[in-house]
Amino acid sequence: YALARIDGMATSEAGDGAEAWRKLASAAYDILLTDINMPVMDGLKLVALVRQGGLHQRVPIVVITTEGAEADRRRAMALGASHYLVKPVQAPQVVEAVRTLLRL
């Protein structure tokens, strides 16, 4: 949903899940960071759509959210999330997750 500059990587930002889905349809991305709670389309729906097939089916997805319940984490991972971080998170935690998933 929102990506920050990490080690010179080109990034893109979407204001909500539906905008993110549209962007994913028109460009290639190496990793997706999303929140669960977003307007128009939530992050779990976005994860499910991405995992159904297409260009980004195997792209790592990091969920960064305030939803700390184990049930939320299990649901996100079952839908295909690659990593789950509970807010508040520090930038180094996000960078480490991205580096690990991209094997940097």
Side-chain angles (χ1 to χ4, degrees):
Y1 155 115
L3 299 178
R5 182 163 290 285
I6 300 172
D7 292 337
M9 292 181 185
T11 61
S12 181
E13 183 176 336
D16 58 57
E19 182 183 353
W21 180 241
R22 287 190 300 274
K23 285 185 173 212
L24 288 166
S26 62
Y29 294 91
D30 296 317
I31 193 163
L32 172 66
L33 281 65
T34 186
D35 197 339
I36 289 178
N37 300 309
M38 295 187 294
V40 186
M41 177 194 304
D42 71 37
L44 294 179
K45 177 67 173 177
L46 180 62
V47 171
L49 286 171
V50 169
R51 291 301 185 233
Q52 285 179 1
L55 178 64
H56 297 93
Q57 184 176 9
R58 289 182 168 64
V59 167
I61 301 173
V62 179
V63 174
I64 305 171
T65 184
T66 59
E67 305 301 328
E70 184 58 29
D72 293 317
R73 181 186 191 335
R74 280 195 308 269
R75 181 167 179 226
M77 299 305 281
L79 288 170
S82 308
H83 198 74
Y84 194 91
L85 296 171
V86 178
K87 294 177 187 176
V89 296
Q90 300 297 317
Q93 291 173 281
V94 177
V95 170
E96 181 60 27
V98 169
R99 283 186 174 146
T100 298
L101 291 168
L102 295 179
R103 295 179 177 95
L104 298 177

